[in-house]
Amino acid sequence: MKRIGIIGFGWLGSRIAASMSGQYQIYTTATTKDKVEDLSAKGFNASLASFPDFQLEEKIAQWKEIKDIDVLIITIPLSGKNCCASSLYNRVQHLFSFIGDFDGQIFVMSSTGVYPDMAGEYSEESLSSDEVPGERMIRNRYPQVNILRLSGLMGDNRLLKNYSISNLQAPVNHIHYEDISGVIEKMIETGSEGKLYNVTAPQHPSKAQVINAQKNLPSPDESVGEGKIILPTKLISELNFVFKHPDPREFHS
């Protein structure tokens, strides 16, 4: 049984762990002792760890369990778009201290928010990892890293109708957390390394269409307006990946 390490056990990390716990042994981190105890009681191998944005007097100790881990999944924010350079640098350096010279398969959860906020279609070739500070730093240290640029995280309690939304005719770029887990599991099976993928549902209805579907209302008559479209073409072609949830209008079903 492969051993999976998940750094960052928040909304996404917990769902990835839940989907994988039956077939992999899960090691994870939490930022409080209470959460470590709670996760340990649930059968996870949990450790206390945090990665502050400021410099510490002493380096963070290396994760004792890292030597036992085959695959590492990092869900803490590292893309750097909404983070000043020094804060991001400190966070990444703390992460490096924690995982050391890990040479197994690594997955980093980045964001499609790294692309410009302009209308148009965006593939991975639209913006290289060298142009995204957090991606660049971790790829320079761990060339084998797989970087997954995730669109808006949806599923379970995350529904667009629960948020204050503007520009209702604009297309959505959403991804169901079950498909994120599916992509990771497929890449573990194929031994993928050094990949960069947009992970986003292939259908891009308007925000209004998604909200109306979630409220069981008729679909608006207006067509989808102009906006940013993230393309998962590379993921589909290289991995032959089939989305479980291709249409954001049906994420709540």
Side-chain angles (χ1 to χ4, degrees):
M1 180 181 285
K2 278 195 173 181
R3 293 154 294 191
I4 308 291
I6 300 176
I7 295 178
F9 206 84
W11 189 89
L12 178 59
S14 62
R15 282 158 178 77
I16 292 173
S19 72
M20 293 186 169
S21 59
Q23 52 188 324
Y24 301 104
Q25 191 174 352
I26 305 294
Y27 295 75
T28 190
T29 67
T31 55
T32 66
K33 289 183 178 179
D34 287 346
K35 193 166 183 182
V36 167
E37 290 173 2
D38 179 55
L39 293 174
S40 298
K42 292 177 179 176
F44 297 115
N45 298 282
S47 301
L48 187 66
S50 63
F51 308 94
D53 292 348
F54 50 87
Q55 195 167 1
L56 299 173
E57 290 185 10
E58 295 183 8
K59 289 176 67 174
I60 287 179
Q62 186 170 303
W63 195 5
K64 291 180 181 178
E65 283 76 11
I66 195 72
K67 65 184 185 304
D68 300 319
I69 289 170
D70 301 301
V71 178
L72 194 58
I73 301 169
I74 300 168
T75 71
I76 61 172
L78 294 176
S79 63
K81 185 170 184 180
N82 299 314
C83 180
C84 72
S86 61
S87 295
L88 178 65
Y89 176 82
N90 290 333
R91 188 187 311 158
V92 172
Q93 293 306 310
H94 296 324
L95 175 68
F96 290 170
S97 296
F98 190 64
I99 64 178
D101 295 325
F102 183 76
D103 60 359
Q105 204 175 18
I106 305 180
F107 295 87
V108 164
M109 304 300 108
S110 185
S111 168
T112 57
V114 299
Y115 295 111
D117 292 323
M118 297 169 55
E121 294 186 338
Y122 294 89
S123 69
E124 294 84 352
E125 285 69 35
S126 303
L127 187 71
S128 77
S129 289
D130 289 339
E131 299 173 87
V132 182
E135 294 181 4
R136 180 179 67 246
M137 281 190 277
I138 198 158
R139 176 151 281 170
N140 286 344
R141 177 70 182 266
Y142 306 100
Q144 79 273 26
V145 69
N146 295 302
I147 296 171
L148 305 184
R149 290 177 177 166
L150 310 180
S151 282
L153 304 179
M154 292 291 167
D156 279 356
N157 58 335
R158 288 202 178 190
L159 298 174
L160 197 61
K161 69 175 184 179
N162 297 333
Y163 299 87
S164 178
I165 301 298
S166 60
N167 194 10
L168 290 173
Q169 276 64 55
V172 301
N173 297 287
H174 288 170
I175 184 66
H176 196 289
Y177 69 88
E178 288 184 344
D179 279 320
I180 298 172
S181 296
V183 167
I184 294 171
E185 290 180 46
K186 183 112 187 213
M187 293 178 74
I188 290 173
E189 291 170 11
T190 58
S192 301
E193 291 195 335
K195 299 294 185 180
L196 172 65
Y197 289 133
N198 290 335
V199 183
T200 186
Q203 295 187 37
H204 302 273
S206 71
K207 297 175 185 178
Q209 289 172 343
V210 172
I211 291 170
N212 280 26
Q214 292 171 355
K215 292 182 175 180
N216 293 315
L217 297 173
S219 183
D221 293 332
E222 300 93 345
S223 59
V224 180
E226 229 184 24
K228 184 162 72 171
I229 298 284
I230 307 298
L231 302 174
T233 313
K234 185 179 173 186
L235 173 72
I236 295 169
S237 63
E238 290 190 3
L239 273 188
N240 196 27
F241 186 75
V242 177
F243 285 83
K244 184 176 181 181
H245 304 277
D247 187 348
R249 285 167 293 194
E250 299 176 0
F251 280 10
H252 66 291
S253 301

